[in-house]
Amino acid sequence: MASSTAWHNFPARQQPQYADSAALEKVITEIHNLPPLVPQAEIDELTSLIAASGRGEVFLLQGGDCAETFVDSSPARIRAKLQTLQQMALVLNIGTSLPVVKVGRIAGQYAKPRSLPTEIQDGIELPSYRGDAVNGFAFTRASRSFDPERLLEAYRHAAKTLHFIHNFAAEPLPDWHYSFLPTSNSAIDPLYSRYQYLMAEIAEYLRQNPEKSQFSPPESNFYSAHEALLLRYEEALTRCGVKKDRLYNFGAHFLWIGERTRDINEAHVEMLSHISNPIGVKIGPKAQVEEVLALIEKLNPQNQPGRLSLIMRLGAKKISALLPPLIEAVQREGKVVTWISDPMHGNTISACNGYKTRRMQDIWEELYRFFQIHFQLGTVPGGIHIELTSDDVTEVLGGAEKIDEDILATRYEALVDPRLNRRQSLETAFRVAEIFREFAQPNN
Ligand code: PEP
Ligand code: CO
């Protein structure tokens, strides 16, 4: 029997302990009485599309901030993010010859799991920042304390974001060449020449299909996703579906659980097993084959296509050894999953100057191996999951701008994990398009 409270019987990690439990209960009741954020029909539609991506009929692009902030729900910021995703989707569409389904880490990605419960600065110890839904980023006692009212604010910002996406985001894309060429008029960007053939194809495609340069729902195939981390919040948005026979989480179309909360004997897995949305589980390098098979059995006992995505974040150095046995085991057991590559979270490093960063080379290497392994085994690489922003930040090393350790400090704005900037995101889409063609159409 599906139950939104079954998880209460299991240990739960990464939950903020609120000082004022009456205030928490009041907020949770309020959220419980607020309308759903997404319609069931769209949730079910996304399950079908993810099933199609598992069969290689569409390509899934998941992307957005590591940690969205409440400030991010301004129209200008949402529009910029949608445009970046839309541009990447167009590149991937041309590169793979598949329709692209866009799933934003957006409209609810306000809570973060943390490795350490506290942070020390200048000898002062305060709770770690856990996302805008929990506490503030500013390093003061007041800001870092857990405030249940923020859960209500998270709902409001998610609603505002979705409202904007559905009603006001339609706008022509910025000109391709200007958005991909370097901002300075100096020497021609080597990446521009490298991907010129793809850009020419895109330009021709847009000439023949001018409507495709418009971000225009409902044709836009855009869905929301976030990590289902804060169990009380997720429970408050978990309700009966239209036919009253199943539960859905109406806070987002797609929900995933992270590497730190995917223990099969714990609350997050239990919670996800009771909802009917398409779901994802992050799989890191420590995962054992048997453990992954058990998760698949628990989360998708009916073996329903599109229900479960495995979001692989193994790291560039480990993927070649770890992914093939996992794929082979899943194949052997006859399980249907959609394989997605998250090339970000297995490749996080500390720069000499202390910045948490990632290298474009490692990100591309992991993507390359992901596609290579799938094409060699005859299985389907269903999509990619990327942390990105549309701002010109300097958080990830490398790429056409050749961001190095000295440049990192120029515009490092990540609150949690380093994100690709707009140009690095586009470069990554071009790179994936190229990789896909190399393996899918080897004679071209
Ligand atoms: C994330 O997606 O931001 C995240 C924390 O990922 P993971 O759980 O894979 O570490
Ligand atoms: Co992250």
Side-chain angles (χ1 to χ4, degrees):
M1 226 355 228
S3 149
S4 62
T5 55
W7 66 267
H8 294 186
N9 301 323
F10 297 81
R13 285 180 210 243
Q14 300 281 346
Q15 303 306 292
Q17 299 305 317
Y18 294 98
D20 184 347
S21 53
L24 173 68
E25 296 311 323
K26 183 171 160 288
V27 162
I28 293 296
T29 306
E30 219 169 311
I31 296 172
H32 191 79
N33 290 322
L34 285 165
L37 288 172
V38 293
Q40 183 184 323
E42 288 182 11
I43 299 175
D44 290 338
E45 184 179 83
L46 182 59
T47 303
S48 306
L49 289 166
I50 295 178
S53 78
R55 294 190 295 269
E57 296 161 8
V58 309
F59 192 83
L60 208 61
L61 168 62
Q62 301 187 334
D65 266 293
C66 178
E68 259 186 298
T69 61
F70 291 162
V71 172
D72 283 334
S73 65
S74 76
R77 295 190 63 77
I78 302 165
R79 177 170 281 140
K81 245 184 264 185
L82 295 183
Q83 283 180 340
T84 300
L85 287 168
Q86 177 81 341
Q87 289 176 330
M88 291 174 78
L90 198 46
V91 173
L92 292 167
N93 175 214
I94 302 295
T96 62
S97 308
L98 297 172
V100 176
V101 173
K102 298 170 290 268
V103 181
R105 287 175 65 114
I106 204 166
Q109 179 53 17
Y110 301 120
K112 297 306 300 170
R114 301 314 304 260
S115 312
L116 299 172
T118 59
E119 182 182 344
I120 300 176
Q121 281 185 25
D122 300 327
I124 299 170
E125 185 172 14
L126 293 176
S128 297
Y129 171 64
R130 290 184 171 271
D132 273 14
V134 179
N135 56 359
F137 184 72
F139 195 75
T140 65
R141 192 161 295 281
S143 147
R144 286 289 171 95
S145 67
F146 303 151
D147 178 1
E149 283 293 321
R150 282 177 168 273
L151 296 171
L152 205 48
E153 257 192 275
Y155 175 95
R156 287 197 202 106
H157 285 279
K160 186 170 136 186
T161 304
L162 289 164
H163 181 67
F164 181 81
I165 292 172
H166 285 289
N167 297 294
F168 300 106
E171 192 184 73
L173 289 168
D175 183 284
W176 269 97
H177 295 262
Y178 293 120
S179 58
F180 193 61
L181 274 176
T183 38
S184 74
N185 293 328
S186 57
I188 291 291
D189 185 340
L191 270 150
Y192 175 68
S193 33
R194 174 166 179 178
Y195 296 118
Q196 215 164 7
Y197 68 102
L198 274 169
M199 296 194 53
E201 283 181 46
I202 291 167
E204 176 58 20
Y205 175 78
L206 290 179
R207 204 181 57 72
Q208 289 180 18
N209 306 278
E211 76 287 354
K212 296 284 183 196
S213 59
Q214 195 96 12
F215 181 92
S216 55
E219 196 267 342
S220 59
N221 277 343
F222 193 91
Y223 301 88
S224 65
H226 65 256
E227 176 168 351
L229 185 72
L230 301 175
L231 293 161
R232 294 300 307 275
Y233 178 83
E234 301 301 343
E235 177 188 324
L237 285 159
T238 298
R239 300 154 191 194
C240 278
V242 180
K243 289 196 200 140
K244 308 285 177 221
D245 59 343
R246 294 199 282 163
L247 288 177
Y248 283 84
N249 181 318
F250 287 99
H253 299 102
F254 180 93
L255 294 138
W256 80 85
I257 49 173
E259 172 69 0
R260 293 169 189 76
T261 52
R262 60 161 177 75
D263 190 307
I264 191 157
N265 298 311
E266 295 183 356
H268 288 83
V269 170
E270 186 63 24
M271 145 88 57
L272 276 206
S273 76
H274 289 261
I275 59 169
S276 304
N277 305 54
I279 56 170
V281 179
K282 294 281 203 93
I283 304 290
K286 293 200 195 86
Q288 303 294 312
V289 171
E290 290 310 315
E291 195 184 349
V292 175
L293 290 177
L295 277 169
I296 295 172
E297 187 58 37
K298 167 92 183 165
L299 292 171
N300 191 14
Q302 317 278 327
N303 212 17
Q304 182 199 356
R307 154 74 176 163
L308 180 62
S309 296
L310 297 183
I311 308 173
M312 311 307 294
R313 30 90 85 221
L314 300 169
K317 295 204 175 58
K318 298 188 176 157
I319 184 169
S320 296
L322 298 179
L323 185 56
L326 276 170
I327 296 176
E328 280 157 0
V330 169
Q331 292 291 100
R332 194 173 56 238
E333 298 294 318
K335 299 296 181 192
V336 182
V337 301
T338 294
W339 297 95
I340 297 176
S341 172
D342 165 358
M344 317 295 293
H345 288 88
N347 295 311
T348 312
I349 53 168
S350 277
C352 304
N353 44 12
Y355 282 99
K356 191 176 179 189
T357 187
R358 292 159 174 158
R359 289 192 195 94
M360 291 298 274
Q361 282 310 331
D362 295 338
I363 291 167
W364 293 338
E365 171 79 13
E366 180 155 0
L367 286 167
Y368 187 87
R369 299 286 165 219
F370 177 78
F371 286 95
Q372 182 186 45
I373 291 164
H374 275 291
F375 281 107
Q376 279 173 354
L377 293 177
T379 47
V380 176
I384 58 175
H385 182 114
I386 307 285
E387 278 184 351
L388 58 86
T389 169
S390 45
D391 298 333
D392 296 323
V393 296
T394 55
E395 299 171 2
V396 172
L397 297 167
E401 295 150 291
K402 299 192 171 47
I403 294 175
D404 62 20
E405 297 211 346
D406 295 333
I407 299 176
L408 280 183
T410 324
R411 203 173 157 193
Y412 191 99
E413 297 175 3
L415 300 192
V416 184
D417 284 340
R419 303 153 299 171
L420 302 189
N421 65 26
R422 186 174 53 84
R423 295 194 70 238
Q424 289 173 328
S425 303
L426 285 168
E427 278 178 68
T428 300
F430 277 111
R431 184 75 196 109
V432 169
E434 193 172 67
I435 296 169
F436 196 95
R437 284 197 178 174
E438 179 183 331
F439 293 117
Q441 306 159 4
N443 300 324
N444 283 357

